[in-house]
Amino acid sequence: MEFLATSLLELITQTSTNLPPDVRAAMSLAAGAETPGTQSSQALDIILSNIDMAVDDEGPICQDTGMPTFIIHTPVGVNQIRIRKAILDAVAEATRLGKLRPNSVDSITGKNSGNNLGEETPVFHFEQWEEDEIEIKLILKGGGCENKNIQYSVPCNLEHLGRADRNLEGVKKCILHAVWQAQGQGCSPGALGVCIGSDRAHGYELAKQQLFRTLDDVNPNPVLAKLESEIMDEANKLGVGAMGFGGKASLIGCKIGAANRLPASFFVSVAYDCWAFRRLGVRLDAATGAITRWLYRDPARKVERMARGEGFALTGREVILTPPLTEAQMRALKVGDVVLINGDMFMGRDNVHSYLMKNPPPVDLNGAVLYHCGPVMLKDASGRWTVKAAGPTTSIREEPYEADVIKRYGVRAVIGKGGMGAKTLAAMKEFGAVYLNAIGGAAQYYARTVEEVPGVYLLEFGIPEAMWHLRVKGFAAIVTMDAHGNSLHADVEKTTGEALEALQKA
Ligand code: SF4
């Protein structure tokens, strides 16, 4: 097995940095269908450029490299313990090289292990089979989309759709509801893996397994094939759009499987994956561990370029913001404005927000820009921190804290993705602050805007949760919640809810 370690590291690296061709094709179709010049189209421009940048730099497509989940098939007689150990080593090495973000957090102590290893991480599914080779498939699915997974126990009542019964019509309502409830928080356009039936725990597992199908395949079951096609058609009429900005590109795939269920239970389990749909696989020689063939990609084929232009096309109407920001500057902004930030910002997400409820900030946040982001960071040879991936995280998790942070410490701009709720919107109106939506998953694009990392605070929380001080240039984002009580997110949620109701009546 002299090549096993190299093969596994290559599998992880390619999965994290090089989106598979079927996902690229689906994203090209989605981008082509979007109305040019809209916010959704602008978001897609950044996403497409980001996909190219990740390949060029062999950097993570998105900073959240998720819970590495391996599906392994081995011939009878192959030592699975040895393979498990080799995968653990490869995961730790990929983390050290910045291909994976350290994502394994002890649920009792809150401590990040730093190398992606820990209790039940990564996730393994071993199976034996009667073929001669070893097959290893890997999916990296981040927290933003993982949090939008949803399970329905039918019959149930669904917002905007009414009762979902124990039949295919009820299943369809659940799946459409799953797309609607995700809005932009799972970095739409997304893809769904669905399991109809099974029990609660296994249903979720089977839903995730559907994500190992290629996006362009056709379900061999004609009933499910029809359902998949109907969902694709109807979901893309809801108007969620890229990043939930409103638009035509809401879903790039829907893959549905069915499993037998108990007479008393009827679950519909939905695994929501984001546009950064990272899954690949390899076949390995069982004697040497060398890669004999890739799954989902052909390494001999040139990787197609995705960018349609220069990425984010500047119009000259962008508002330049140079922190510290003033109340008057924030009150002059309105929903839909595009801003370019030049200067200092501070990262802070779950642990930092919780910390700020009981402790003063380690830096002066008056007039500051607070970025919801858990980056991939590495130290260079001279000991300086460098940003390897730095897209926004889902902001709604900070909803219980953000109003207080704005009020107590004078934060003027919050950057994240997916928007925030009514409490934060009210605080922004009262104190003069805005929410800026950066493009989710565009980790390479945003990493390139960072000119310097002047410092880091609260590093004891681990790399993704520390308070990083960044100096950026040309950091682009869209105002989606302003200081006048307007929220694009609330508007899109309302109009897409109405679209769901209209579909129901049609
Ligand atoms: S693209 Fe968005 S949802 Fe997907 S892993 Fe990245 S941050 Fe999470």
Side-chain angles (χ1 to χ4, degrees), residues 396-428:
I396 197 68
R397 297 197 308 274
E398 316 316 336
E399 181 65 10
Y401 314 110
E402 206 68 85
D404 288 327
V405 169
I406 290 168
K407 179 179 169 186
R408 284 189 210 171
Y409 306 122
V411 167
R412 290 282 172 213
V414 174
I415 308 177
K417 71 169 169 88
M420 303 196 71
K423 190 174 161 204
T424 302
L425 188 63
M428 287 176 165

Side-chain angles (χ1 to χ4, degrees), residues 62-66 140-146 185-187 243 273-276 278 391-394 417 440-442:
C62 174
Q63 75 289 338
D64 188 351
T65 52
L140 301 174
K141 183 172 179 297
C145 55
E146 189 67 14
Q185 291 171 12
C187 291
M243 298 314 303
D273 209 339
C274 51
W275 68 259
R278 292 152 290 173
T393 194
T394 314
K417 71 169 169 88

